[in-house]
Amino acid sequence: MKTRRILMTEVSKAFLQEHFNSSLLRYASSRRWYAHKAVKAKKLKILSAFSLDRSDTIRALVCEITFAGDEKALYFIPVEISETEDDNAIGSFVVNSERITLTDAFLSSRYAESLLHNFLLGAKIFDGDSYISFSATDSFTVPQNQEFRVIKSEQSNSSFIIGDSIIIKNYRNIKPGENPDIDVPEKLFAQGEFHETPAPMGDVAYYGRSGKIYLAYASRFIAGSEDAWSHYNWLFSDLLRRNTADHSFEEKFMVEFIKAADSLGRLTGRMHRALSSVGGLPFTPEEVNEKDITGVARQIREYLENARAMIEEREDIYTLGRMNFSSEKWSAPLEYAEDYLLSKLRESHAQKIRVHGDYHLGQILMAGGSYYVIDFEGEPMKDISERIRKYPPEKDIAGMIRSLDYLLQSVFKLNGVDGHEEFINITRVRAENVFVDAYRESVGHYRELLGSDPEFADMMLKMFVAEKSAYELVYELNNRPLWVKVPLNSVSRIFSEFKVK
């Protein structure tokens, strides 16, 4: 008896759920973008499966994963269905003597082509009561060169480049709400004041039982760009390699580092000036309140308590921690700093605004002498409601100050150059001061944003530097114990400054 050839239209959502749910869960949990590695997953359910092409082989899956304790999370997994075996397959199943194979469509140019086609159509694709909508901006054009390149440095999201003009970011652990990674650039671009972010070109949104959820975002690809962290690492490493023998590098190094701090401070000021004047309730500046101060102080305490616990438990870092870290060093100074800010708050009139939220050198592209700020999504693991909160501008300022410190430490450490601690400290202090001065000059109305009391603003900045440093300390203890000294020194410096002048 001759078996009937299975049609792609018969590979329904129910078929995929029955035969591939376990394979999809195994595959997702093995990827770098999977955000729940520390939690045991119980099951995966395909909520929606949208066909993106005429051949019905490219599907956009919205999946719900349930964890121990019945916590749930949504993931976006685009897949491609084929009848051939593939070493990189998510899974395969034989039906009617024919093999059905599921692969990650993100790795396929056919998936990219389907997105471009649906952007052009302004498509709305349904699966039952749910649907996905493709929205293109006026900047969207299909590139003549459609060479497909996957960005291999996959983190919480996955991105690929089409030709030399479009980059499409695929969100993986998806959450309901207006994603700031899309909303902020669109608002800035529409406002027209801040041109130093890639032009938005379109987005893909899912509408289901949880409301609106963004699946993908298309923006202009900055051809020939590199991130500022890589650029400056190369620049300053080159200066070191050429002139370390007789200390002749120091003057040139200092000049170039201060120049970078100045230009980055001005960039940050322009960004905050634009963010504070976009308009509309979600972007309108508000006065800092007590919860903003107690909240950052509470976060610092949590980070430091976590660090203390790890230092006590880990034999490989206990000696270092015992010598340089104890709760006695930070408890009283932090309480003083918190009380000082609360006592001066009413008179300061300091404001909070929408900020970048995860601001460092890796979030800035450089090309042709220009900067481009990217990745406004904040911390991906947090809910959208937290990521669109307003913060004192010092949050971003502190992020870049800490990134500049890491840049200094990295350049000397990775090039094996020792014996320059005094020069590093002098350069760091000058760079921080230049960055802040350039920021204030560039933002224009800094006394409105940072408050009328310079000492209040200075203390607020120290608090956010302390928060970022404490976060870095926990991160390094977990991932890179040999780098613990960098944030530990920063924590020690900041807490020594938490005192009455």
Side-chain angles (χ1 to χ4, degrees):
M1 178 178 178
K2 187 176 181 180
T3 57
R4 181 178 65 83
R5 181 179 177 82
I6 190 168
L7 301 175
M8 284 299 167
T9 52
E10 296 179 77
V11 184
S12 63
K13 177 172 65 180
F15 182 97
L16 293 172
Q17 176 68 42
E18 180 181 358
H19 300 295
F20 291 99
N21 66 318
S22 297
S23 300
L24 283 164
L25 182 56
R26 281 195 302 272
Y27 181 77
S29 61
S30 71
R31 312 312 294 169
R32 288 190 67 184
W33 44 256
Y34 187 69
H36 294 82
K37 293 184 184 295
V39 187
K40 182 176 176 57
K42 292 166 58 178
K43 62 181 180 179
L44 178 146
K45 179 181 180 182
I46 301 174
L47 299 182
S48 301
F50 303 99
S51 178
L52 300 184
D53 66 335
R54 285 188 174 184
S55 65
D56 209 23
T57 58
I58 306 293
R59 308 285 180 90
L61 305 185
V62 175
C63 303
E64 179 185 77
I65 299 178
T66 303
F67 305 94
D70 289 332
E71 175 191 357
K72 296 179 179 180
L74 297 180
Y75 277 87
F76 172 48
I77 309 176
V79 298
E80 183 170 19
I81 304 166
S82 70
E83 298 173 348
T84 59
E85 293 190 59
D86 191 314
D87 292 338
N88 298 313
I90 293 173
S92 62
F93 181 78
V94 177
V95 56
N96 292 343
S97 301
E98 294 183 31
R99 182 176 298 277
I100 300 297
T101 300
L102 215 61
T103 59
D104 189 343
F106 170 76
L107 303 173
S108 168
S109 61
R110 289 179 290 277
Y111 170 59
E113 291 164 5
S114 73
L115 293 185
L116 290 180
H117 182 68
N118 284 301
F119 272 127
L120 278 176
L121 295 176
K124 184 179 285 188
I125 303 171
F126 287 84
D127 177 22
D129 293 332
S130 63
Y131 66 92
I132 55 175
S133 176
F134 288 77
S135 301
T137 70
D138 292 339
S139 300
F140 181 85
T141 56
V142 175
Q144 291 183 342
N145 169 19
Q146 293 192 18
E147 178 188 359
F148 171 77
R149 289 175 288 158
V150 170
I151 296 179
K152 294 182 179 180
S153 57
E154 186 179 67
Q155 298 295 331
S156 56
N157 306 305
S158 310
S159 298
F160 54 74
I161 300 162
I162 305 174
D164 57 1
S165 59
I166 297 180
I167 180 169
I168 299 182
K169 179 188 292 186
N170 294 255
Y171 301 106
R172 296 302 198 153
N173 180 202
I174 53 177
K175 300 175 188 293
E178 288 296 334
N179 189 334
D181 195 34
I182 299 174
D183 187 41
V184 172
E186 287 182 348
K187 293 292 196 303
L188 289 175
F189 197 76
Q191 178 203 43
E193 180 181 335
F194 186 72
H195 302 284
E196 291 153 301
T197 190
M201 301 184 80
D203 60 69
V204 184
Y206 166 71
Y207 295 83
R209 66 187 187 190
S210 298
K212 181 180 181 180
I213 303 176
Y214 286 102
L215 303 182
Y217 172 56
S219 61
R220 176 191 167 201
F221 172 63
I222 308 300
S225 65
E226 63 178 336
D227 66 86
W229 173 264
S230 299
H231 172 84
Y232 286 125
N233 249 297
W234 178 88
L235 173 66
F236 295 117
S237 293
D238 186 57
L239 286 173
L240 279 186
R241 286 191 292 267
R242 291 184 183 185
N243 302 292
T244 51
D246 59 359
H247 289 247
S248 62
F249 76 93
E250 290 186 355
E251 182 178 354
K252 178 68 172 175
F253 190 104
M254 177 76 76
V255 168
E256 292 297 328
F257 203 90
I258 295 305
K259 186 190 298 184
D262 179 83
S263 58
L264 289 164
R266 294 181 188 282
L267 169 71
T268 309
R270 291 192 296 272
M271 179 178 70
H272 281 179
R273 183 176 64 210
L275 284 170
S276 64
S277 57
V278 163
L281 185 60
F283 287 83
T284 302
E286 301 173 13
E287 286 204 354
V288 175
N289 59 40
E290 292 186 357
K291 288 184 178 180
D292 298 312
I293 294 170
T294 57
V296 69
R298 180 174 62 253
Q299 186 65 77
I300 294 170
R301 289 188 178 95
E302 289 179 7
Y303 286 144
L304 293 179
E305 284 293 346
N306 289 340
R308 181 189 59 78
M310 282 189 281
I311 287 169
E312 290 180 354
E313 293 172 2
R314 298 257 308 266
E315 292 183 0
D316 56 334
I317 55 177
Y318 178 71
T319 301
L320 174 67
R322 181 178 57 189
M323 292 173 60
N324 296 282
F325 186 87
S326 65
S327 58
E328 290 76 15
K329 287 187 177 182
W330 56 262
S331 182
L334 178 56
E335 184 175 336
Y336 165 76
E338 183 180 11
D339 289 345
Y340 176 89
L341 289 172
L342 290 172
S343 68
K344 301 289 185 179
L345 175 61
R346 185 180 294 272
E347 298 174 356
S348 76
H349 303 292
Q351 295 184 329
K352 55 184 177 179
I353 61 173
R354 289 289 293 274
V355 297
H356 184 283
D358 187 25
Y359 195 54
H360 54 79
L361 289 167
Q363 307 285 39
I364 297 172
L365 299 179
M366 299 180 68
S370 298
Y371 288 126
Y372 298 90
V373 183
I374 60 172
D375 293 345
F376 284 86
E377 64 179 321
E379 298 179 29
M381 280 296 292
K382 292 186 176 181
D383 289 335
I384 296 289
S385 60
E386 293 185 62
R387 286 150 54 188
I388 63 173
R389 279 182 55 196
K390 296 169 186 173
Y391 289 93
E394 287 89 349
K395 183 176 179 66
D396 280 350
I397 299 173
M400 190 55 67
I401 282 176
R402 291 301 308 134
S403 196
L404 288 170
D405 182 26
Y406 260 89
L407 175 63
L408 263 176
Q409 303 293 340
S410 174
V411 167
F412 280 84
K413 185 181 180 71
L414 297 181
N415 285 283
V417 179
D418 300 318
H420 295 277
E421 287 75 13
E422 183 178 359
F423 173 75
I424 292 173
N425 286 329
I426 291 172
T427 304
R428 175 185 54 76
V429 171
R430 289 186 183 177
E432 290 177 4
N433 291 335
V434 166
F435 179 91
V436 173
D437 289 344
Y439 170 86
R440 289 175 174 173
E441 183 177 333
S442 176
V443 79
H445 56 301
Y446 77 89
R447 288 193 180 277
E448 294 179 22
L449 289 182
L450 305 182
S452 57
D453 183 351
E455 292 189 356
F456 177 91
D458 183 58
M459 183 65 81
M460 183 73 85
L461 178 56
K462 286 183 171 64
M463 283 286 276
F464 277 98
V465 172
E467 181 199 31
K468 186 66 174 178
S469 302
Y471 163 81
E472 292 164 354
L473 180 58
V474 174
Y475 177 86
E476 302 296 17
L477 286 168
N478 271 322
N479 298 283
R480 302 190 304 178
L482 293 178
W483 285 83
V484 163
K485 186 177 179 181
V486 177
L488 191 59
N489 285 344
S490 178
V491 169
S492 299
R493 284 195 304 267
I494 290 297
F495 280 98
S496 69
E497 297 172 6
F498 281 168
K499 57 186 178 182
V500 182
K501 295 185 178 180

